[in-house]
Amino acid sequence: MSTHDAIVIGLGGMGSAALAHLSGRGLDVLGLEQFQTGHDRGSSHGETRIIRRAYFEHPDYVPLVERSYALWDDLESATETKLVNRTGLALFGGPSGEVVPGVRRAAAAHGLDIWDVDRADVLSRFPGFAPSADMDVLYEPDAGILAVEACVQAHLQQAVRCSAHIVEREAVVSWRSTGIEVEVRTEGACHKASHLVICAGAWTSTLLRDWCVSMQVRRQVVSWFGTRGRRYRVEEGCPVFCFDTDDGFFYGFPVLDERGIKIARHDRGEIVEDPGAIDRSKQSIDRASVERFIDRYLPDVVPTAMHHSVCMYTMTPDSHFIIDRHRDYPNVVIAAGFSGHGFKFAPVVGSILADLVTTGKTAEPIDFLRASRPAIVAG
């Protein structure tokens, strides 16, 4: 049996960051991962994630993403690893939809640098895109791309430098807390600690069966497509992009390598009952809508997927995160339900989790992410 100050379950985006921040504060921390670190079985893989400030989902995310930008920069410096590529973000959508007005509200509330792109300038600025006449076009110059696997490895590297312990390929079978001490049993061992941090992604509900918080896991597919010409290449100035259309919400990344341009639909996904048995071979039920999107708005993309990857969204009823202490056990801290837009926040979430473990509170503005909020309780 091993004994530690804290145990972190799950070492994906959030768990790796929590491990790094806890160990960086001098705690003896154990990280448990049911697969190998850097695996592609959960929600922290697929090469790229978007990072952006103008948060249409809720303006209260903006201070958190601002802090994350600073922490990503710190992590880059500490590990001498390139993690963020500031390509800019082009956003296309109707003026009365959810996304464009939401971005405008967030930008106005926090004084963010968001540009309106005139219709006359769209083709010259974004030659690979063909928005419809009723779409507004916004540009966020400091948005860009996170190298997702490199980000996870950088956090783990920092954690190991600070003497964190990592156990791979050992699934958690059960845990219990007395409120003062926790005991975590895996398939091969028993570990004890003063605190427990649960960052289990799609497996959170399995570990919190008595928590009475409803979360739904969805299977998501991202695909890579061929292109004609060079206008979608990152070195030609192509940004990351989002389209809020009448057929769904789509996003994508410029061409970074020989795989092509990466595109996916964000607002759908098949419900998953068992995250360990997800089918990774087939493509999405939304394949037809993605192909329609490409045909309509990306004229020089070939709408036949050359590669695809499968990950999972763990959705809360209101699509906002849960970051909180367990309602019954104050020495158990939970980060869950990142609903397909959480990875960019990993370093600030890790810092917040370390705050909650070491002091029981945080100065970061997370009241809207508490597990006691009405949408979660009602859900």
Side-chain angles (χ1 to χ4, degrees):
M1 179 181 295
S2 64
T3 303
H4 307 271
D5 294 324
I7 297 171
V8 178
I9 299 176
L11 298 181
M14 305 307 166
S16 64
L19 196 73
H21 281 273
L22 286 163
S23 59
R25 298 186 191 189
L27 276 67
D28 176 1
V29 192
L30 171 67
L32 298 174
E33 172 54 59
Q34 65 174 324
F35 305 111
Q36 78 284 358
T37 56
H39 65 84
D40 63 355
R41 304 289 93 182
S43 306
S44 298
H45 63 282
E47 299 184 7
T48 51
R49 293 291 186 280
I50 293 174
I51 184 167
R52 53 190 167 88
R53 283 187 167 92
Y55 232 71
F56 67 86
E57 292 89 342
H58 200 300
D60 286 356
Y61 282 109
V62 175
L64 297 176
V65 79
E66 294 275 20
R67 178 67 175 140
S68 269
Y69 264 92
L71 290 171
W72 285 125
D73 289 343
D74 290 346
L75 188 62
E76 280 192 327
S77 297
T79 60
E80 299 181 339
T81 304
K82 181 66 174 176
L83 303 175
V84 185
N85 185 352
R86 288 172 167 80
T87 62
L89 165 68
L91 190 146
F92 306 84
S96 59
E98 176 187 356
V99 177
V100 167
V103 167
R104 294 192 190 282
R105 283 193 299 272
H110 296 281
L112 301 176
D113 187 16
I114 303 297
W115 308 346
D116 276 277
V117 181
D118 292 337
R119 295 293 309 178
D121 296 331
V122 170
L123 287 180
S124 60
R125 184 178 288 274
F126 309 121
F129 304 103
S132 56
D134 61 347
M135 284 182 168
D136 285 355
V137 183
L138 305 179
Y139 182 69
E140 183 177 339
D142 201 40
I145 301 170
L146 290 167
V148 58
E149 286 91 351
C151 289
V152 172
Q153 290 301 330
H155 272 134
L156 293 175
Q157 178 183 331
Q158 280 298 90
V160 171
R161 280 181 180 175
C162 295
S163 301
H165 312 276
I166 295 175
V167 175
E168 300 178 282
R169 298 180 179 86
E170 198 162 305
V172 171
V173 175
S174 66
W175 66 269
R176 64 182 183 88
S177 171
T178 65
I180 298 173
E181 183 181 66
V182 294
E183 180 182 278
V184 178
R185 291 190 175 275
T186 70
E187 295 169 333
C190 179
H191 308 280
K192 288 189 176 181
S194 299
H195 293 86
L196 175 63
V197 179
I198 298 177
C199 298
W203 287 265
T204 300
S205 294
T206 303
L207 295 174
L208 296 170
R209 295 189 186 278
D210 62 344
W211 201 34
C212 300
V213 173
S214 174
M215 288 185 290
Q216 184 183 83
V217 177
R218 297 182 189 171
R219 178 184 182 274
Q220 301 292 141
V221 176
V222 298
S223 301
W224 285 261
F225 298 84
T227 61
R228 291 178 284 266
R230 296 180 55 84
R231 60 182 55 185
Y232 298 107
R233 298 194 67 86
V234 68
E235 62 267 27
E236 299 295 327
C238 183
V240 292
F241 54 92
C242 298
F243 275 77
D244 184 22
T245 79
D246 54 10
D247 199 25
F249 185 77
F250 301 85
Y251 67 94
F253 299 82
V255 176
L256 301 174
D257 54 36
E258 69 282 355
R259 300 186 75 183
I261 188 170
K262 178 182 171 183
I263 300 170
R265 181 170 181 168
H266 175 69
D267 58 338
R268 290 273 299 272
E270 303 166 75
I271 297 173
V272 174
E273 298 298 333
D274 179 3
I278 189 170
D279 185 350
R280 299 178 184 277
S281 63
K282 67 177 182 178
Q283 295 197 30
S284 173
I285 59 171
D286 295 312
R287 177 178 175 177
S289 66
V290 174
E291 291 174 353
R292 285 196 303 272
F293 161 73
I294 291 171
D295 188 61
R296 184 174 179 184
Y297 297 106
L298 306 179
D300 289 319
V301 174
V302 180
T304 302
M306 298 189 300
H307 311 279
H308 77 276
S309 177
V310 175
C311 70
M312 290 176 282
Y313 287 1
T314 305
M315 307 293 299
T316 63
D318 60 2
S319 297
H320 297 309
F321 316 156
I322 297 172
I323 306 173
D324 209 344
R325 293 196 292 175
H326 194 288
R327 64 181 185 185
D328 298 322
Y329 308 112
N331 63 338
V332 178
V333 179
I334 299 156
F338 288 93
S339 300
H341 62 106
F343 188 88
K344 65 184 73 63
F345 296 91
V348 73
V349 171
S351 178
I352 290 167
L353 295 173
D355 290 342
L356 296 177
V357 166
T358 56
T359 69
K361 58 184 179 181
T362 182
E364 301 290 354
I366 62 166
D367 283 347
F368 75 113
L369 303 177
R370 297 288 187 183
S372 57
R373 66 185 185 263
I376 297 299
V377 174

